[in-house]
Amino acid sequence: MLKNKFTIITILTVIILALTVPLVRAEDEPTTDAQANPDSTIMPINANPEEPADSPETQPDGSSETGTIADENMKRSDVYLAGDNITIDYIIDGNLFVFANHVTINSQIGGDVFVCANSVTVGEQGYVFNNLFAFAKDVTVNGVIYDLYSASETATINGYVYRDVRIGSNSVSILGTIGRNAYIDCNHLNFVQGTDGNSKHGIISGNLEYSSKEEISIPEGVVSGETNFEKAIISSTNGSIQDNIISLATFIVTVIAIWLICLWLAPKFLKNSPALLTSKKVLPVIGFGILTPIVAIILSVIFLLLNITSTLTLLLIMALIFLIAIGTSIFVITVNYIVCEKLKVQKTMGTLGMLVASSIILWAIGLIPFVGSIIEIIAVLLGLGIIVSSIVLKDKKLETE
């Protein structure tokens, strides 16, 4: 359904790297549409709602004419949060990572937002200058964001999305404005709210590509560009719940088992592996992850053509299959150690609990149509790259970085 698959792969790679290498900062932002178009009706939210946006007293960086920074209302770095009910009511000049039950954003976020929660709400005062990646039961956008990538049970857009939305959901309601294109996979798609006298409908300024059980009637004037419909293939759900439970339990047990084996046989590997994703060696990791299967296959073909013993070829193929099989688990374990370090979780039981949570998140993401398959491939390649890099690169160098 999605034509820009290469774009999706790039964006998802950025997700993984952003979770592990906090390189994105607001000062690296490109010029926004609002800055490029002074006639835009969407204006950035002022840090002080009671002060006019064009007041000379406040500078764009949050400082006053006297040079005082309003640090109490601003975080000048990436922010990592976990809890039950989390409300963001202060400016974040960086990326935001949240794992919680209910998340509400009522302020400016200078970078990307990554959320895994039961419900995610961008309030009317919320302004996300980059992408919002949301994995939740309910996602509601009442404010302004630039791009939306969402997997949820319900998704509602009452506000403004400057650029594109990519949504996989059971029910989607577009009652606000989407500045460019919408790519939607859902069972129910709604554009109108209220009665004829007080009704309002959403607007898509670009194209609409959607997949659903049945084609819907789209009100006139909603989509400015082209509309493409793809009928969703409905498969039998008999035993699906049981199969999903078994699949999730198997994945969690596998990850925990590999983690325990590494604790026993390769504790130095567990200690050094996070450095492979949080240091300058992340690019070699990606390279090793991509090249290792290619090199192994080429060598296997060469061995066969040269009539070299088939045992060596078989061992090479078996080793590749084994590394690929544990690649996802190694990736989850490595990312979990990075998250634990950020959240200052040091006890073994705390690490185990976070490992279970990380496993559930990755498994759940794997269920998302299109997106899930790409994420799983990226996880395998990065896990494979971590294993090969830890063997090829010297441990001493990792420990010093």
Side-chain angles (χ1 to χ4, degrees):
M1 183 186 77
L2 303 180
K3 295 180 180 180
N4 302 324
K5 291 187 177 180
F6 288 107
T7 302
I8 298 176
I9 294 174
T10 302
I11 292 298
L12 292 174
T13 304
V14 171
I15 298 175
I16 300 300
L17 295 180
L19 287 171
T20 55
V21 187
L23 296 176
V24 179
R25 291 294 186 271
E27 56 266 32
D28 296 327
E29 295 280 334
T31 302
T32 65
D33 294 346
Q35 294 169 330
N37 182 12
D39 296 328
S40 175
T41 58
I42 302 299
M43 298 298 294
I45 299 170
N46 190 21
N48 185 355
E50 298 179 357
E51 185 178 0
D54 57 353
S55 171
E57 300 295 329
T58 302
Q59 305 301 322
D61 62 355
S63 63
S64 66
E65 291 183 345
T66 60
T68 303
I69 305 297
D71 290 328
E72 65 275 9
N73 295 323
M74 177 180 291
K75 301 292 184 181
R76 295 183 175 276
S77 64
D78 292 343
V79 175
Y80 302 82
L81 299 173
D84 184 21
N85 297 313
I86 293 180
T87 300
I88 310 299
D89 52 8
Y90 48 87
I91 299 173
I92 296 177
D93 188 11
N95 301 313
L96 172 63
F97 303 85
V98 187
F99 182 81
N101 189 21
H102 302 286
V103 178
T104 303
I105 299 174
N106 288 324
S107 63
Q108 295 184 44
I109 310 297
D112 295 320
V113 177
F114 303 85
V115 182
C116 181
N118 186 39
S119 68
V120 179
T121 301
V122 179
E124 294 182 358
Q125 299 299 311
Y127 197 116
V128 179
F129 281 85
N130 271 349
N131 306 303
L132 170 61
F133 301 95
F135 179 76
K137 181 179 179 182
D138 302 305
V139 176
T140 303
V141 177
N142 296 322
V144 180
I145 61 178
Y146 265 47
D147 289 283
L148 172 63
Y149 299 84
S150 169
S152 61
E153 178 67 21
T154 63
T156 303
I157 299 176
N158 292 314
Y160 195 101
V161 180
Y162 261 113
R163 295 183 289 209
D164 300 331
V165 301
R166 287 173 168 81
I167 300 175
S169 180
N170 180 48
S171 177
V172 178
S173 296
I174 299 178
L175 309 174
T177 301
I178 296 174
R180 294 202 306 203
N181 305 315
Y183 306 90
I184 300 173
D185 184 6
C186 66
N187 292 326
H188 306 284
L189 182 58
N190 176 47
F191 290 97
V192 181
Q193 183 182 59
T195 59
D196 293 338
N198 298 312
S199 64
K200 70 172 184 177
H201 65 78
I203 296 176
I204 299 177
S205 300
N207 301 325
L208 168 63
E209 296 188 18
Y210 74 100
S211 172
S212 184
K213 293 184 295 185
E214 299 292 340
E215 188 172 4
I216 68 171
S217 177
I218 300 176
E220 184 178 355
V222 169
V223 181
S224 299
E226 298 179 354
T227 299
N228 297 315
F229 165 73
E230 180 178 330
K231 187 177 180 61
I233 300 176
I234 309 300
S235 59
S236 174
T237 58
N238 293 333
S240 60
I241 297 178
Q242 181 180 356
D243 292 340
N244 286 336
I245 293 175
I246 294 175
S247 174
L248 175 59
T250 302
F251 182 62
I252 293 175
V253 170
T254 301
V255 173
I256 293 176
I258 293 175
W259 175 61
L260 293 175
I261 292 174
C262 290
L263 279 178
W264 177 35
L265 298 177
K268 182 179 287 188
F269 167 74
L270 292 180
K271 178 182 178 182
N272 294 333
S273 60
L276 292 170
L277 292 183
T278 56
S279 69
K280 296 180 181 179
K281 289 183 170 54
V282 67
L283 292 180
V285 168
I286 297 174
F288 281 127
I290 296 174
L291 293 177
T292 298
I294 298 175
V295 173
I297 293 173
I298 293 176
L299 288 177
S300 300
V301 173
I302 292 175
F303 290 161
L304 291 175
L305 293 177
L306 296 178
N307 292 323
I308 298 177
T309 173
S310 59
T311 302
L312 181 59
T313 304
L314 180 61
L315 289 176
L316 184 61
I317 295 175
M318 289 179 63
L320 177 62
I321 294 174
F322 173 75
L323 292 178
I324 292 176
I326 67 173
T328 302
S329 298
I330 294 298
F331 171 75
V332 174
I333 293 169
T334 302
V335 172
N336 184 70
Y337 268 87
I338 297 173
V339 173
C340 288
E341 181 180 350
K342 296 292 184 181
L343 298 178
K344 298 182 179 180
V345 178
Q346 298 179 347
K347 294 184 178 180
T348 302
M349 291 306 298
T351 302
L352 175 60
M354 290 297 296
L355 183 60
V356 173
S358 300
S359 302
I360 294 174
I361 291 172
L362 183 61
W363 177 87
I365 292 175
L367 298 179
I368 304 174
F370 306 109
V371 175
S373 299
I374 297 174
I375 284 289
E376 289 176 347
I377 293 173
I378 293 175
V380 170
L381 291 179
L382 286 177
L384 182 60
I386 292 170
I387 297 171
V388 176
S389 297
S390 65
I391 297 173
V392 175
L393 302 177
K394 293 182 179 180
D395 292 339
K396 291 183 179 180
K397 290 185 178 181
L398 293 177
E399 291 175 353
T400 58
E401 293 184 359

